[in-house]
Amino acid sequence: MIILITGTSRGIGRYLAGRFLSEGHSVIGFSRSGCDIKEAGFHHFAVDVTDEKGVIKALGEVRKQFGLIDVLINNAGIASMNHFCLTPLETAKRVMDVNFFGSFLMTRECAKLLRKSRNARIVNFSTIAVPLNLEGEASYAASKSAVETLTRTTAKELSGYGITVNAVGPVPIKTALIAGVPEDKIRNLLAHQAIKRFGEPEDVYNVIDFFIRPESGFITGQVVYLGGIN
């Protein structure tokens, strides 16, 4: 398969790229900064997913090199954990830009390449913070709620082209995304999970692997949360 993953410079995106490469897939990585992956089969594009012109240009190059893609994984995202009253508007806008509009733009433009695949899949990223309605995560959870609505709606709109659209909702995973989050807030979040531990990149991979299998072609518009809700 040809798998396009956003946010491959670090964290979950970096892990997923390496994992799929180890399985023999071709991986296209989109990230603003460089990526240290040197394996054969990996192709990196320096692009910001909120930059419409940049995304269209990069995907034009993808079209020339590959002709199509089989899977889009909208992993790129940023978080902000702060009290609603103390969150600057610019911070809230940036969170929405990257998490929602980035996924929207990539989905819209990649659909043109996915239509050529026999097993076209899109996997978006939500978060367990959406159903838990946790204090301090208003902007982040709102942006991911928008991603969930995008997932369910595009699942219907793209079904005629044979493209499935689903989402995974991780719990906290020890990556740079939560590096600056106070320990007490993380403990509070873990306490609300049925399985009270940090997630692992492998947990996210398992859900994505399920979604993108050829046998999962009848599954679309779904959101799978990790860890359970207590």
Side-chain angles (χ1 to χ4, degrees), residues 165-191:
V165 189
N166 295 286
V168 56
V171 298
I173 297 173
K174 294 181 179 180
T175 65
L177 188 69
I178 65 166
V181 178
E183 186 177 340
D184 61 324
K185 290 186 177 181
I186 295 296
R187 285 200 306 268
N188 180 51
L189 203 161
L190 295 178

Side-chain angles (χ1 to χ4, degrees), residues 95-110:
V95 170
M96 187 63 74
D97 278 347
V98 176
N99 296 351
F100 172 68
F101 288 114
S103 296
F104 169 87
L105 178 58
M106 289 297 300
T107 297
R108 190 192 71 189
E109 294 302 314
C110 285

Side-chain angles (χ1 to χ4, degrees), residues 3 11 79 123 126 226 229:
I3 304 173
V123 181
S126 182
L226 297 175
I229 302 170

Side-chain angles (χ1 to χ4, degrees), residues 134-155:
L134 294 178
E135 301 92 338
E137 298 200 40
S139 298
Y140 180 59
S143 72
K144 293 300 188 177
S145 293
V147 169
E148 291 190 11
T149 298
L150 178 71
T151 298
R152 289 187 290 267
T153 303
T154 54

Side-chain angles (χ1 to χ4, degrees), residues 47-146:
V47 59
D48 186 332
V49 295
T50 67
D51 177 5
E52 184 174 25
K53 291 182 179 180
V55 166
I56 292 173
K57 180 179 179 181
L59 289 175
E61 290 300 315
V62 171
R63 183 190 300 273
K64 290 178 183 178
Q65 293 185 39
F66 300 93
L68 58 77
I69 60 174
D70 298 296
V71 178
L72 166 65
I73 301 176
N74 281 314
N75 162 76
I78 59 174
S80 173
M81 297 184 70
N82 202 4
H83 193 284
F84 170 77
C85 293
L86 300 176
T87 302
L89 181 59
E90 287 304 312
T91 297
K93 285 182 177 180
R94 180 60 181 165
V95 170
M96 187 63 74
D97 278 347
V98 176
N99 296 351
F100 172 68
F101 288 114
S103 296
F104 169 87
L105 178 58
M106 289 297 300
T107 297
R108 190 192 71 189
E109 294 302 314
C110 285
K112 303 167 187 176
L113 296 172
L114 287 160
R115 288 172 60 178
K116 301 179 181 181
S117 172
R118 294 183 178 181
N119 294 289
R121 305 282 186 265
I122 298 174
V123 181
N124 295 321
F125 269 66
S126 182
T127 172
I128 196 71
V130 171
L132 292 180
N133 297 312
L134 294 178
E135 301 92 338
E137 298 200 40
S139 298
Y140 180 59
S143 72
K144 293 300 188 177
S145 293

